[in-house]
Amino acid sequence: MAKKEIKNRDVSTEEKIKDAAKLVFHKKGYAATRTRDIAEEAGINLALLNYYFRSKEKLFQLIMAETLSGFILQLSSVLNNKKTSLEEKVEQIANNYITFLSKEPEIPIFILSEVRNNSKVFMDKIPLREVVLNSEFIHQYEEVVHKGNVSEPNPLHFLMNVLGLVVFPFIAQPMLTQLGKLDQQQFNQLMEERKKRIPSWIKMMLKA
């Protein structure tokens, strides 16, 4: 029984460190984060953090991998669903990502800044080309282009439009809230409205 209790405490401490590291890295990024910041956030001493994770780099790589995986997996599950139409996929991307980013608003800037600074290290670990270019979404887009229903032949333009409409407001949130004199609740409501408006805007782009 004693061994089981110790094991449970070890797992709990490790998860506590990971949760704290996620919070601090997402807010500050790799360069500005100290291991002491993570230890303080987790409510433990620095020696205990170093016992579980030998370096800031190792802990960061773990958090970065989990963050990217979560972001890409959500996209992959939508893009590769053979039971949904192109328009339904747009609706799901808007709904899923706005819900996700409303809970984790620091993630877009965190991913963009860290991948930009370490593109070789992180992009090699992400099967992004396989997730996007070989997806059902791409096949569906190519089909509507072939039928003459869409004039833009490059599906990346279409995907950039969708993701840009979803992600950019969270990146620009400080500027937008000041511009519109919005509190957090009002900004969240604005994002909820976009769940319905983005698919409508994309449909108009497709028709144009």
Side-chain angles (χ1 to χ4, degrees), residues 15-39:
E15 289 303 316
K16 186 188 295 185
I17 293 171
K18 285 173 60 179
D19 289 342
K22 178 181 175 181
L23 184 65
V24 177
F25 279 134
H26 283 183
K27 285 184 177 180
K28 294 186 173 184
Y30 177 78
T33 295
R34 304 173 304 164
T35 50
R36 187 174 300 278
D37 298 329
I38 299 171

Side-chain angles (χ1 to χ4, degrees), residues 94 191-201:
M191 295 303 99
E192 285 296 314
E193 293 171 7
R194 290 178 71 81
K195 288 182 179 180
K196 294 182 178 179
R197 295 189 179 183
I198 288 173
S200 297
W201 294 334

Side-chain angles (χ1 to χ4, degrees), residues 22-64:
K22 178 181 175 181
L23 184 65
V24 177
F25 279 134
H26 283 183
K27 285 184 177 180
K28 294 186 173 184
Y30 177 78
T33 295
R34 304 173 304 164
T35 50
R36 187 174 300 278
D37 298 329
I38 299 171
E40 290 175 357
E41 183 66 36
I44 62 172
N45 60 53
L46 190 57
L48 188 58
L49 186 148
N50 290 331
Y51 171 77
Y52 282 96
F53 299 96
R54 298 297 181 186
S55 68
K56 182 178 81 167
E57 182 179 1
K58 181 180 178 180
L59 185 52
F60 175 78
Q61 288 179 350
L62 176 63
I63 298 303
M64 189 64 175

Side-chain angles (χ1 to χ4, degrees), residues 107-158:
I107 282 181
I109 293 179
F110 170 74
I111 291 178
L112 288 175
S113 62
E114 299 301 337
V115 169
R116 186 181 181 89
N117 292 334
N118 304 280
S119 59
K120 179 63 177 175
V121 174
F122 295 110
M123 296 309 294
D124 287 349
K125 297 180 181 179
I126 307 170
L128 194 57
R129 289 181 61 85
E130 291 78 3
V131 168
V132 176
L133 297 185
N134 296 327
S135 67
E136 181 67 17
F137 164 84
I138 293 295
H139 298 323
Q140 289 175 322
Y141 189 87
E142 289 174 343
E143 186 176 339
V144 296
V145 170
H146 180 72
K147 290 179 179 179
N149 297 332
V150 177
S151 59
E152 174 51 59
N154 190 341
L156 287 181
H157 280 302
F158 179 62

Side-chain angles (χ1 to χ4, degrees), residues 68-96:
L68 287 171
S69 295
F71 196 83
I72 298 300
L73 281 175
Q74 287 209 38
L75 185 62
S76 177
S77 64
V78 173
L79 297 186
N80 288 294
N81 189 342
K82 295 184 178 182
K83 296 181 180 180
T84 57
S85 67
L86 197 62
E87 291 183 352
E88 288 172 331
K89 284 180 173 59
V90 172
E91 292 174 2
Q92 289 181 4
I93 290 173
N95 185 77
N96 293 358

